[in-house]
Amino acid sequence: MLVLLPPSEGKAASGRGAPLKTGSLSLPGLTAAREAVLGELVGLCAGDEEKAREVLGLSEGLRGEVAKNAELLTAGARPAGEIYTGVLYDALDLASLDAAAKRRAARSLLVFSGLWGAVRVTDRIPSYRCSMGVKLPGVGALGTHWRAPMAEVLPEAAGSGLVLDLRSAAYAAAWKPKGEVASRTATVRVLHAPTRKVVSHFNKATKGRIVRSLLASGTSPEGPAELVDALRDLGHVVEAEAPAKAGKPWSLDVLVDEVH
């Protein structure tokens, strides 16, 4: 099983570990594309601060993120699973999983990123600020920048099993499973059952809980239909829609009564 996650806007501090080594990150086929974005981002943020804030879409209160980006090449690096914080990652709570579940997380979780493309939770990265919606002066729109290298690398990373896609729309645009991979992909929405609406906070929290329950239980569904059964067995209320034609992903709605 491969689980595709969005990153979080909020991130923990880089810490005092050894600095980033781009060549040591998972999915080495993305290295050249990563280094292009990294070089552009560092150069932008080391120059005109106001221009950098404008390009990155940062408010006055986030001015310090520019200086942080300028130091990415020398900042300490920590496992991505420790860097990403926020609602989904708080609910997932990787640190409290047992050893077996942590090993499953290391194998199956892939976090998408405007800067790195995609990383495993064990990949060591510094704290940064760069969303997929950014358009950098040199490399252009990041969603577009990542499409070709992702198309080369991600089908192999997906292997032959289930792909559980929990990404938000901006990050999903960087790689869309196609053909045979798409047929074993399941996308998930979380709906407030009484209103049938998506509410951002509990959408993220419930996705974190879904991933945590799968990792903690050791369940490894072979495909979307088996995923529906597994989630129901774990206590989730799921409505599923199989694709109308081959080569398209399944759509799953997880219904939640309480907003929390």
Side-chain angles (χ1 to χ4, degrees):
M1 178 174 66
L2 183 68
V3 182
L4 311 181
L5 296 174
S8 58
E9 289 294 331
K11 298 176 183 68
S14 293
R16 299 184 179 182
L20 168 76
K21 294 181 179 179
T22 55
S24 70
L25 298 177
S26 301
L27 309 179
L30 300 179
T31 299
R34 286 169 176 151
E35 290 178 345
V37 178
L38 180 62
E40 277 287 321
L41 183 61
V42 170
L44 172 70
C45 292
D48 186 328
E49 185 179 88
E50 292 305 316
K51 178 181 178 181
R53 279 210 303 129
E54 180 181 354
V55 170
L56 297 176
L58 300 178
S59 67
E60 174 66 30
L62 294 173
R63 182 179 292 274
E65 299 293 288
V66 175
K68 181 169 72 175
N69 281 347
E71 298 175 352
L72 285 173
L73 296 176
T74 56
R78 296 168 60 186
E82 297 177 12
I83 289 289
Y84 292 112
T85 59
V87 176
L88 187 155
Y89 292 90
D90 285 347
L92 175 53
D93 195 8
L94 286 168
S96 69
L97 291 171
D98 65 30
K102 287 179 179 176
R103 288 193 293 272
R104 288 189 284 272
R107 292 194 303 268
S108 62
L109 303 188
L110 200 61
V111 183
F112 276 61
S113 163
L115 175 53
W116 315 115
V119 291
R120 304 281 186 185
V121 293
T122 51
D123 284 330
R124 298 181 64 85
I125 59 173
S127 184
Y128 68 97
R129 188 78 175 218
C130 185
S131 70
M132 190 65 80
V134 164
K135 184 176 181 180
L136 291 174
V139 299
L142 294 181
T144 302
H145 172 79
W146 285 113
R147 284 176 195 160
M150 289 284 197
E152 291 289 328
V153 171
L154 267 293
E156 181 178 354
S160 58
L162 169 71
V163 178
L164 174 55
D165 190 351
L166 301 177
R167 296 172 296 167
S168 53
Y171 292 91
W175 180 62
K176 295 183 179 181
K178 296 180 179 180
E180 187 271 332
V181 178
S183 68
R184 48 187 168 86
T185 296
T187 63
V188 173
R189 297 188 307 173
V190 178
L191 303 181
H192 184 215
T195 64
R196 311 293 293 189
K197 293 181 179 179
V198 175
V199 179
S200 179
H201 178 88
F202 79 82
N203 173 56
K204 295 175 183 176
T206 303
K207 286 180 177 179
R209 294 186 192 107
I210 286 170
V211 177
R212 181 180 178 85
S213 63
L214 289 169
L215 294 172
S217 68
T219 303
S220 185
E222 294 183 0
E226 293 80 7
L227 173 65
V228 173
D229 292 339
L231 291 177
R232 288 172 176 165
D233 289 344
L234 291 168
H236 300 285
V237 179
V238 183
E239 295 179 352
E241 182 179 340
K245 56 183 179 180
K248 299 293 183 181
W250 283 54
S251 298
L252 275 59
D253 287 341
V254 176
L255 306 182
V256 180
D257 288 323
E258 297 182 3
V259 180
H260 65 287

